[in-house]
Amino acid sequence: MSAKASVLYDAPGPIARVRNIVYSLVVLAAVLAAGWFVYRGFADQGQFTADKWEPFLDGAVWTTYILPGLEGTVVAAVLSIVFALVLGMIFGIARLSDHRWLRWTAGTIVEIARAIPVLILMIFLFALYSEYDVFDSEYLALGAVVTALTIYNGSVIAEIVRAGILSLPKGQTEAGVALGLRKGQLMRLILLPQAITAMLPALVSQMVVALKDSALGYVITYEEVVRSAQQLGAAEQNTIPALIVVAIIMIVLNVLLSTIATRLEKRLRSGRRKRGGAVVAADSVITDAAPGVDITK
């Protein structure tokens, strides 16, 4: 097991490494036993015979089922992640506003959006968009999926943004105020750039959630990768192999997303270390000149 720090956790100590190895071996043994049990059950039903997997050697199967479904999943996930990041930033900063009415309004919207299950929101929006012809029939399901994922994940990201900004040392805020920065400048130039590094692990986790939740779109007939796998399974009578292939594709996408986030996080941290000495020195001087100032009140 690697002792290097990850985007999701700090580097473990010697005792923690030994304990993690023991736990990993126990879990691995349990997973292997469960995997063997599942494998034998599927094998007895003939799900692992060569004819069940042979369709995946046909390029037409990929261009007809898998790739269009994968495209639908990626499109829905990317659109919802981008919109959710924008929405989350807006509402996260609004929850830190000096104006009570704006704080309470943003907080109420965020809490309601977080409490609504994504699947129910998708079904409701699909029916709403259908009733009022908000989108063309071709993009109706996509619009409902993206809107639902944006609302839910945006509300979660708003809390991540708020917590990330509040986690910064108060000296950063005090230094900016002492320099005469306005609230918007302080947030944009000092707080947000530093908070992004702290927020990155949670943001990546939420992006993975958005990617996986896009599969819920099959309920409202959205053409995504799980629905494509079900259609392929019905056509070729190989539902289990089709779902296994789709699961592998989703795992690869999630690993790729985490890898990109890890490299980005390392780059951000290395950039901060290079500028760290000057920032800390300036911060300590300015903080002494402007004690007790906090914009989060």
Side-chain angles (χ1 to χ4, degrees):
M1 181 176 293
S2 175
K4 294 182 179 179
S6 166
V7 70
L8 298 178
Y9 53 83
D10 295 329
I15 298 178
R17 286 199 298 270
V18 174
R19 184 169 60 247
N20 290 343
I21 291 174
V22 173
Y23 290 163
S24 298
L25 292 176
V26 172
V27 172
L28 179 62
V31 169
L32 289 176
W36 175 254
F37 177 78
V38 172
Y39 171 79
R40 291 305 308 168
F42 287 146
D44 292 342
Q45 299 296 324
Q47 291 294 324
F48 295 114
T49 57
D51 62 311
K52 298 290 186 181
W53 297 88
E54 187 176 354
F56 296 104
L57 301 178
D58 186 1
V61 169
W62 286 85
T63 56
T64 304
Y65 295 101
I66 304 297
L67 293 182
L70 181 60
E71 180 184 2
T73 295
V74 172
V75 168
V78 170
L79 289 176
S80 61
I81 288 172
V82 172
F83 293 151
L85 285 173
V86 175
L87 192 68
M89 287 290 179
I90 293 173
F91 278 87
I93 294 174
R95 296 205 66 181
L96 298 174
S97 173
D98 295 329
H99 305 287
R100 182 178 300 178
W101 68 268
L102 181 57
R103 251 192 347 261
W104 285 4
T105 302
T108 301
I109 294 174
V110 167
E111 292 302 325
I112 292 175
R114 290 173 61 196
I116 302 175
V118 180
L119 182 57
I120 294 177
L121 192 56
M122 282 185 187
I123 296 173
F124 170 77
L125 290 172
F126 183 73
L128 183 67
Y129 292 165
S130 301
E131 181 69 21
Y132 293 99
D133 295 326
V134 178
F135 296 99
D136 293 337
S137 58
E138 181 182 358
Y139 301 105
L140 189 61
L142 174 62
V145 170
V146 171
T147 306
L149 292 177
T150 298
I151 292 174
Y152 175 75
N153 291 287
S155 64
V156 177
I157 291 175
E159 287 298 287
I160 295 173
V161 170
R162 185 176 71 92
I165 294 174
L166 291 178
S167 69
L168 296 176
K170 291 184 178 181
Q172 302 296 320
T173 299
E174 296 168 354
V177 172
L179 288 172
L181 296 179
R182 295 190 297 272
K183 179 71 176 291
Q185 293 175 318
L186 177 63
M187 190 69 67
R188 186 178 71 255
L189 299 177
I190 295 180
L191 299 182
L192 277 180
Q194 298 181 72
I196 286 176
T197 303
M199 296 185 298
L200 192 58
L203 289 177
V204 172
S205 298
Q206 204 57 40
M207 292 177 186
V208 172
V209 169
L211 179 62
K212 294 188 295 184
D213 283 351
S214 64
L216 296 174
Y218 83 93
V219 175
I220 57 174
T221 69
Y222 180 62
E223 192 68 25
E224 44 76 46
V225 71
V226 175
R227 183 176 178 83
S228 297
Q230 291 178 329
Q231 292 173 343
L232 174 60
E236 301 290 342
Q237 299 300 312
N238 63 343
T239 301
I240 299 303
L243 291 176
I244 290 175
V245 170
V246 166
I248 293 173
I249 293 174
M250 295 297 289
I251 290 172
V252 171
L253 289 177
N254 290 331
V255 171
L256 181 62
L257 182 60
S258 298
T259 302
I260 294 174
T262 301
R263 293 182 179 179
L264 178 61
E265 190 253 359
K266 289 181 179 179
R267 178 172 297 184
L268 289 174
R269 289 189 181 276
S270 63
R272 288 183 62 186
R273 281 196 296 268
K274 290 178 182 178
R275 301 187 301 268
V279 171
V280 170
D283 177 59
S284 61
V285 172
I286 297 174
T287 300
D288 291 338
V293 181
D294 186 2
I295 68 167
T296 62
K297 292 182 179 179

